[in-house]
């Protein structure tokens, strides 16, 4: 994890990697990373939004929102967390370990946000900005260069309309977890046919993942 700065508070750093499942097996009282994840989610959104606002004055709100969603989503954050080998440092229950929790995109994305929250509490916003500009924000320019401004839901909607079909319908298939940490599974239906499924910490994120899967299925 060479891109991470040295933490002053090592207990805070450790907490960022404690999955809630581990608490039942811990031999000492510990706090999971969920509160840090809550904080990190907001800090992450702020830093990326500020960067987009300053760097791309030519883009309207819609494009800025779409660009942000391309980098601040479960898949993107999990990919970055994998590159930083966050999975190796996770503290999981034996059950999560057996179910390959270290490779679980949702767990990895949540851990990334928790690390952001811990970094902010330990060192402040400037360290967070430096870190994100090193590991995540460069992806934005790649999307801009490729002119990938539209989110998967918009792309799927346009494709379906081009085929003169009814608009895609999104339905919640399953939800799990406590009220403050829900995980949704949503299916997207085209002409009443399940075309893609996605999971996310919000319905919006799950819908985007479902649309992404649908686009992959239809070769778009």
């Amino acid at each position: 994890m060479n891109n991470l700065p040295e933490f002053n508070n090592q207990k805070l750093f450790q907490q960022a990697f404690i999955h809630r499942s581990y608490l039942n097996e811990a031999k000492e009282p510990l706090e999971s990373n969920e509160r840090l994840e809550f904080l990190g989610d907001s800090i992450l959104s702020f830093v990326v939004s500020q960067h987009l606002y300053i760097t791309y004055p030519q883009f309207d709100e819609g494009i800025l929102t779409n660009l942000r969603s391309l980098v601040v989503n479960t898949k993107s954050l999990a990919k970055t967390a994998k590159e930083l080998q966050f999975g190796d440092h996770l503290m999981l229950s034996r059950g999560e370990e057996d179910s390959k929790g270290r490779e679980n995109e949702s767990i990895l994305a949540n851990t990334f946000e928790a690390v952001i929250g811990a970094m902010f509490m330990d060192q402040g916003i400037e360290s967070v900005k430096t870190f994100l500009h090193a590991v995540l924000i460069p992806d934005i320019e790649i999307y801009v260069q490729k002119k990938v401004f539209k989110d998967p839901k918009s792309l799927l909607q346009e494709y379906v309309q081009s085929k003169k079909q009814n608009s895609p319908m999104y339905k919640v298939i399953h939800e799990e977890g406590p009220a403050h940490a829900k995980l949704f599974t949503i299916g997207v239906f085209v002409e009443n046919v399940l075309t893609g499924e996605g999971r996310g910490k919000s319905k919006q994120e799950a819908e985007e993942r479902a649309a992404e899967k649908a686009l992959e299925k239809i070769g778009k």
Side-chain angles (χ1 to χ4, degrees):
M1 297 191 293
N2 294 331
N3 286 297
L4 281 176
E6 185 69 27
F7 270 62
N8 299 309
N9 186 339
Q10 285 299 310
K11 287 187 177 180
L12 195 63
F13 176 73
Q14 181 188 51
Q15 185 187 339
F17 294 91
I18 300 176
H19 187 256
R20 66 175 180 269
S21 67
Y22 182 76
L23 301 184
N24 295 326
E25 300 176 6
K27 296 180 180 179
E28 58 181 306
L30 295 172
E31 184 178 353
S32 77
N33 63 5
E34 289 180 340
R35 280 168 48 83
L36 288 174
E37 174 199 339
F38 163 78
L39 176 62
D41 177 56
S42 296
I43 299 298
L44 176 62
S45 181
F46 164 72
V47 172
V48 172
S49 297
Q50 183 187 51
H51 172 80
L52 287 167
Y53 182 84
I54 293 172
T55 308
Y56 304 105
Q58 72 274 30
F59 294 155
D60 62 22
E61 178 191 6
I63 291 179
L64 294 177
T65 299
N66 289 343
L67 282 170
R68 183 178 62 193
S69 71
L70 288 170
V71 292
V72 183
N73 62 55
T74 299
K75 184 176 181 179
S76 174
L77 299 184
K79 172 179 172 291
T80 304
K82 285 180 182 179
E83 292 171 350
L84 294 169
Q85 300 179 319
F86 280 6
D88 295 345
H89 300 269
L90 278 167
M91 301 174 73
L92 304 168
S93 68
R94 284 187 288 272
E96 284 290 351
E97 191 81 60
D98 293 341
S99 60
K100 297 184 178 180
R102 296 185 188 280
E103 301 172 21
N104 183 292
E105 285 192 344
S106 180
I107 292 177
L108 286 170
N110 292 347
T111 302
F112 185 89
E113 291 177 340
V115 169
I116 295 298
M119 190 182 302
F120 173 76
M121 292 300 296
D122 188 70
Q123 303 189 22
I125 194 67
E126 292 305 320
S127 286
V128 173
K129 288 181 179 179
T130 299
F131 173 68
L132 291 176
H133 275 81
V135 303
L136 187 68
I137 286 179
D139 290 346
I140 295 174
E141 186 58 30
I142 295 173
Y143 291 123
V144 171
Q145 292 296 328
K146 291 182 178 180
K147 298 184 178 180
V148 183
F149 299 140
K150 294 183 179 179
D151 60 281
K153 287 182 66 177
S154 298
L155 291 172
L156 181 62
Q157 176 82 8
E158 289 181 2
Y159 173 79
V160 169
Q161 288 179 338
S162 73
K163 298 296 181 181
K164 294 182 168 52
Q165 296 175 321
N166 293 323
S167 295
M169 297 292 294
Y170 295 86
K171 298 179 182 178
V172 176
I173 296 175
H174 180 66
E175 59 180 86
E176 58 188 283
H180 67 284
K182 285 284 188 183
L183 185 63
F184 298 92
T185 300
I186 288 181
V188 58
F189 294 78
V190 178
E191 298 294 294
N192 295 318
V193 176
L194 179 60
T195 313
E197 286 188 25
R199 302 179 77 198
K201 292 180 293 181
S202 67
K203 291 182 180 179
Q204 174 68 23
E205 183 175 334
E207 288 175 357
E208 289 181 358
R209 296 298 301 278
E212 189 175 87
K213 292 295 183 182
L215 289 167
E216 290 176 3
K217 186 173 182 179
I218 62 181
K220 295 293 177 180

